[in-house]
Amino acid sequence: MALGYVRPARPEDAGEIARIQLATWRVAYRRILPRHVLDNLDEAFLARRWSAAVLEPPSGAHRVLVAVEQAEQSYLVGFAASGPADAEALAPGEPADALGPDVAAVTDLLVEPRWGRRGHGSRLLAAAVDLWREDGLSRAVAWAFEGDEATRKFLTSTGWELDGAARALDVDDMLVPQVRLHVGVPAEKVPADE
């Protein structure tokens, strides 16, 4: 029987996070992003960026979490990165203060396709929500490619909704549309006898 859990990323996880990112993007986004862009992504460069994100986050509320599948051996199978919303979370033309200081932004939430449908995405999201609560964040946003049905379906199945914001990323002179989703961070439930 396999078990899964989530933990904070460690510096030594950076290479696996980069590998998972590349493997997932090359499968999930093969019909969304230009093939030569996906083929030319540099795993070592991504690993250095993930190492920096783990070792030197912009704030204590910026976190990288990893999902682990544990059977006879343990495998890193997914990851999530989030922090307080910044300019990257804004839609084109939105004022800098549109999202407010109590909003979290998910920058990455990926589970390697071969490990999908085993609860890892849900565990990553639940762990992130717990941390957002600790940080006093009451809402979260995430951008998803318009053509990424799997991510959109996963998020909407957990209560996220489209908020009407859209943008297009310029990926090697190809505009790739994205939509923004949002969700309220539910307050922690207080036991009835308190």
Side-chain angles (χ1 to χ4, degrees):
M1 178 163 130
L3 300 173
Y5 63 92
V6 171
R7 64 167 171 78
R10 302 174 187 143
E12 61 270 19
D13 296 330
E16 271 301 283
I17 293 170
R19 185 197 62 73
I20 291 165
Q21 183 177 18
L22 281 179
T24 304
W25 280 23
R26 287 177 175 155
V27 170
Y29 301 153
R30 71 182 180 274
R31 291 187 176 96
I32 298 171
L33 300 174
R35 182 181 180 136
H36 69 276
V37 169
L38 293 172
D39 289 345
N40 291 325
L41 290 170
D42 181 1
E43 190 170 334
F45 170 77
L46 292 173
R48 287 190 299 275
R49 292 194 60 177
W50 285 114
S51 180
V54 171
L55 289 169
E56 303 164 6
S59 77
H62 285 82
R63 296 183 178 90
V64 180
L65 303 172
V66 294
V68 178
E69 171 95 7
Q70 185 174 353
E72 286 100 35
Q73 292 184 310
S74 294
Y75 305 94
L76 255 58
V77 298
F79 67 96
S82 67
D86 59 13
E88 295 295 317
L90 296 171
E94 254 184 338
D97 62 351
L99 294 177
D102 64 335
V103 178
V106 176
T107 55
D108 290 279
L109 177 59
L110 298 172
V111 173
E112 192 174 356
R114 65 187 169 133
W115 298 102
R117 301 201 178 278
R118 296 171 70 98
H120 297 297
S122 296
R123 280 189 286 278
L124 284 164
L125 196 53
V129 168
D130 288 343
L131 293 169
W132 299 338
R133 270 194 210 104
E134 284 179 24
D135 295 332
L137 302 171
S138 63
R139 196 163 64 94
V141 296
W143 286 98
F145 289 115
E146 193 174 84
D148 182 0
E149 295 289 330
T151 296
R152 290 175 48 207
K153 184 176 179 180
F154 169 70
L155 289 175
T156 57
S157 75
T158 62
W160 293 64
E161 298 176 333
L162 294 171
D163 72 1
R167 67 183 182 189
L169 294 184
D170 185 348
V171 180
D172 200 32
D173 291 331
M174 178 180 161
L175 293 178
V176 183
Q178 288 188 308
V179 293
R180 190 173 65 194
L181 295 98
H182 72 121
V183 70
V185 175
E188 197 161 12
K189 293 181 179 144
V190 179
D193 60 344
E194 285 188 20

